[in-house]
């Protein structure tokens, strides 16, 4: 009976989370269609700390528009990487797109704010020596730093490994490369819900600041105002660790 109740709750939570993702995706597509992707910077002076948004797989840049608008209203300059498209490219190509935007928009001292796959791109970006001081830290929400076992036996299929989903396999060579360098983890905050159907093993990253918040689901957290507040707090915490430059407000 206890197992049945647990499975029932799992099913309900998963359905609600996927439904939320579908709604958020529809809104994101509509915002892009309308061209309503600008971020109005508010009067609060957080301008010394720019933010770069990195969405997850199959998420356009507008998917993170709600948290982007929240951060812009608090004075942060918010940058997006439109060249990521649906975010199906490999890590190396994605990093190249990010570096181009950071260079073109003359971004300095930014904190990366990411969801899911975006956190993997964010860590790879911090590891790239070409980023220099353009990006100083990463706040990642529900990122599978250790991979995901969500697919179960299906993950052993060759087609999965060769697809964009192969990145998330625990044995992925990309994940192994990212895991080898732990020094940069001190500049990463990994925020994870207490239950995430897409990442059964959780989002723990050795050496990073790991925070588990009250919430269930992989997609709902990016539209949760309580999570936004935590992201904003950690943006400033990371900025305070910056060796030089203007202090955060």
């Amino acid at each position: 009976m206890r197992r049945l109740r647990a499975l029932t709750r799992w099913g309900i939570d998963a359905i609600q989370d996927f439904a939320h993702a579908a709604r958020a995706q529809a809104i994101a597509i509509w915002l892009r269609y309308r061209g309503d992707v600008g971020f109005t910077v508010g009067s609060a002076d957080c301008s010394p700390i720019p933010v770069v948004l990195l969405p997850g797989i199959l998420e356009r840049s507008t998917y993170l528009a709600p948290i982007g608008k929240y951060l812009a209203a608090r004075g942060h300059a918010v940058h997006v990487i439109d060249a990521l498209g649906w975010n199906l490219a490999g890590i190396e190509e994605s990093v190249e797109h990010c570096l181009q935007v950071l260079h073109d928009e003359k971004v300095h001292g930014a904190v990366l704010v990411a969801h899911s796959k975006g956190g993997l791109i964010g860590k790879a970006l911090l590891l790239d020596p070409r980023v220099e001081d353009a990006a100083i830290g990463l706040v990642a929400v529900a990122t599978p730093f250790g991979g995901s076992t969500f697919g179960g036996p299906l993950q052993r299929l060759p087609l999965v490994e060769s697809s964009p989903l192969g990145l998330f396999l625990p044995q992925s060579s990309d994940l192994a490369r990212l895991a080898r360098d732990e020094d940069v983890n001190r500049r990463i905050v990994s925020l994870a819900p207490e239950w995430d159907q897409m990442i059964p093993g959780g989002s723990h990253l050795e050496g990073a600041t790991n925070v588990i918040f009250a919430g269930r689901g992989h997609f709902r957290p990016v539209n949760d105002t309580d999570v936004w507040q935590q992201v904003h707090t950690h943006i400033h915490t990371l900025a305070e660790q910056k060796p030089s430059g203007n202090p955060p407000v």
Side-chain angles (χ1 to χ4, degrees):
M1 183 62 69
R2 182 179 301 174
R3 178 174 173 78
L4 178 60
R5 285 197 297 267
L7 287 173
T8 300
R9 185 184 185 190
W10 189 100
I12 292 173
D13 285 335
I15 290 170
Q16 290 177 340
D17 195 54
F18 288 131
H20 177 90
R23 179 177 180 275
Q25 190 72 274
I27 292 172
I29 294 171
W30 175 243
L31 288 175
R32 186 170 182 81
Y33 172 76
R34 290 177 53 194
D36 185 14
V37 295
F39 300 105
T40 303
V41 178
S43 59
D45 188 18
C46 294
S47 56
I49 317 172
V51 169
V52 179
L53 301 181
L54 300 174
I57 191 170
L58 291 175
E59 296 174 359
R60 301 296 295 242
S61 58
T62 47
Y63 191 84
L64 295 183
I67 189 172
K69 291 179 178 180
Y70 174 90
L71 295 172
R74 279 143 188 82
H76 296 278
V78 179
H79 302 266
V80 297
I81 316 294
D82 283 329
L84 290 176
W86 288 101
N87 209 359
L88 291 168
I91 293 293
E92 292 182 4
E93 182 180 340
S94 300
V95 166
E96 293 299 326
H97 289 315
C98 294
L99 287 170
Q100 189 65 53
V101 170
L102 294 176
H103 177 266
D104 292 347
E105 299 185 7
K106 296 179 172 59
V107 179
H108 295 285
V111 174
L112 311 172
V113 174
H115 175 235
S116 195
K117 177 186 176 181
L120 303 178
I121 297 171
K123 179 173 179 179
L125 186 60
L126 292 179
L127 287 170
D128 195 304
R130 294 172 294 171
V131 78
E132 297 179 335
D133 68 342
I136 60 172
L138 164 66
V139 182
V141 180
T143 290
F145 288 108
S148 171
T149 57
F150 174 75
L154 294 177
Q155 292 181 309
R156 293 193 289 270
L157 295 176
L159 287 177
V160 173
E161 188 170 1
S162 60
S163 77
L165 296 176
L167 169 65
F168 308 114
L169 298 177
Q171 68 272 23
S172 162
S173 58
D174 285 311
L175 291 183
R177 282 194 296 270
L178 289 177
R180 278 197 291 268
D181 195 321
E182 294 187 358
D183 289 343
V184 74
N185 293 355
R186 59 186 174 82
R187 294 194 280 145
I188 298 175
V189 177
S190 179
L191 300 177
E194 59 186 4
W195 177 85
D196 185 334
Q197 80 277 17
M198 303 301 290
I199 316 175
S203 300
H204 183 85
L205 180 63
E206 193 66 32
T209 299
N210 293 281
V211 179
I212 297 178
F213 56 84
R216 296 179 65 80
H218 184 73
F219 301 100
R220 281 178 285 185
V222 292
N223 287 315
D224 186 328
T225 55
D226 289 338
V227 175
W228 296 351
Q229 291 172 9
Q230 291 190 56
V231 169
H232 188 228
T233 296
H234 287 293
I235 286 172
H236 284 272
T237 300
L238 288 168
E240 288 169 359
Q241 298 172 1
K242 185 180 178 182
S244 59
N246 296 326
V249 294

